[in-house]
Amino acid sequence: VDHRAAEAVAVHACPGDVHENIERAVRFAAAAALLALVVCGEYLFLRSRYERSPLVCLVTAQGSKGEFTLPDGTRVWLNGDSRLSYPETFDAGIRRVRLDGEAFFQVRHDASHPFVVDMEVMQVEVLGTEFDVINYAEFATTEAILCSGSIRAYGGRLPAPVTLKPGDRLVFDKKQGRASRSRVSTQNYSQWMGGSLSFDDTPLADILTNLERWYAVEIDAPEAWTRQVRMSFKLIRNESIEEILKAMSLVVEMDYVCAGRHITIIPQQPKNS
């Protein structure tokens, strides 16, 4: 009885101490929970940081070009002032890359791992093929030209998915939000990676297409006129676009205006005899 009375007295004699102990225990438990949350969050952050494959970014300066091989064996030629980013190792699903500028791809065939090129206005998906894509921020259009195989463009601002066949050119007008498809000579879109260009009695329209790719510029000229004019010359790397245009104007009656990466060619009116 005495022991029970003593215990009762001890309990009732120090109520403040008991409450203080309880508060300390609650504060300790909360601090421990917060510490566990911080540690857990830090672990998840570090784990996700080190488990995510680092990105590789390939960059070419304006006026230069580069040839690269991706982790899956795909070969890429980057035109001037272009950037291509991709993971150091592709995951088990999609081989995805991001392009700003122009690139020609020779994609290693792998039916179980589609190859996807991400651009601002669309994505291009392919299993294995050769194609050229142009996605310069300053240009009025984004383009995809298929040389061989099959590709599908979709997503972004593209109104509807489009499947291309070899020789198809898909052009998306950024201002109007419209896409158009046409048939082209793929040779005009696959020669810019080499060391020189040669034209032998070639329509000016085809020459200008090659010059656009070669110098990574946009050239506007009346289409009907460019189909009528034919020229022959050889182009090497160290000649600027201004030098080429000046030489062309000595042979063909034309004026030209350069505004950054946009060039306008204006045919001159025939002079009266």
Side-chain angles (χ1 to χ4, degrees):
V1 176
D2 293 338
H3 288 298
R4 288 197 298 272
E7 290 173 358
V9 170
V11 169
H12 291 290
C14 304
D17 293 339
V18 174
H19 292 163
E20 184 176 352
N21 290 337
I22 293 176
E23 290 176 358
R24 288 177 179 175
V26 171
R27 288 196 300 270
F28 177 83
L34 179 60
L35 177 62
L37 180 61
V38 171
V39 171
C40 181
E42 183 70 14
Y43 168 74
L44 292 175
F45 169 76
L46 292 175
R47 187 180 68 176
S48 63
R49 177 182 176 183
Y50 288 104
E51 284 185 355
R52 184 183 301 117
S53 181
L55 285 180
V56 177
C57 186
L58 305 176
V59 180
T60 54
Q62 189 170 353
S64 67
K65 299 171 176 61
E67 179 182 355
F68 309 93
T69 301
L70 302 188
D72 65 333
T74 291
R75 297 177 67 189
V76 182
W77 287 261
L78 278 184
N79 209 340
D81 193 23
S82 298
R83 290 156 296 283
L84 183 74
S85 56
Y86 57 91
E88 196 172 62
T89 57
F90 290 116
D91 60 28
I94 297 176
R95 297 173 288 168
R96 187 180 300 275
V97 301
R98 166 78 186 185
L99 174 68
D100 297 287
E102 179 175 9
F104 186 92
F105 293 88
Q106 285 184 347
V107 178
R108 184 176 181 182
H109 180 76
D110 187 349
S112 60
H113 300 88
F115 189 94
V116 175
V117 181
D118 278 334
M119 296 179 284
E120 178 187 1
V121 300
M122 71 176 84
Q123 287 78 51
V124 173
E125 179 180 345
V126 61
L127 298 180
T129 188
E130 296 183 1
F131 63 101
D132 189 82
V133 283
I134 304 106
N135 183 43
Y136 286 106
E138 309 96 301
F139 284 14
T141 61
T142 292
E143 303 181 22
I145 301 93
L146 180 61
C147 296
S148 66
S150 177
I151 62 176
R152 184 173 71 97
Y154 64 94
R157 295 167 56 193
L158 199 65
V162 180
T163 300
L164 303 185
K165 300 181 296 183
D168 280 351
R169 177 192 182 206
L170 175 67
V171 178
F172 179 81
D173 189 306
K174 299 177 185 178
K175 185 176 182 179
Q176 297 182 1
R178 296 179 182 176
S180 61
R181 180 168 48 180
S182 60
R183 300 290 294 172
V184 296
S185 172
T186 58
Q187 187 177 9
N188 290 329
Y189 298 87
S190 59
Q191 295 190 101
W192 58 263
M193 301 95 70
S196 63
L197 290 176
S198 294
F199 305 108
D200 184 13
D201 196 31
T202 304
L204 182 57
D206 293 343
I207 293 175
L208 295 182
T209 297
N210 278 275
L211 293 181
E212 285 182 317
R213 307 282 75 75
W214 187 268
Y215 291 105
V217 296
E218 278 187 311
I219 302 177
D220 286 338
E223 184 176 358
W225 174 73
T226 61
R227 289 295 175 189
Q228 296 174 358
V229 177
R230 308 180 77 92
M231 299 186 69
S232 300
F233 64 90
K234 185 175 182 178
L235 182 64
I236 58 177
R237 282 277 182 226
N238 59 358
E239 295 168 322
S240 68
I241 183 63
E242 289 82 3
E243 290 174 324
I244 295 302
L245 292 172
K246 183 176 181 179
M248 291 171 59
S249 66
L250 298 176
V251 179
V252 177
E253 293 184 346
M254 67 178 216
D255 293 322
Y256 58 90
V257 177
C258 298
R261 297 171 71 169
H262 188 85
I263 298 170
T264 302
I265 294 181
I266 308 165
Q268 291 181 353
Q269 295 296 328
K271 298 179 181 179
N272 296 326
S273 303

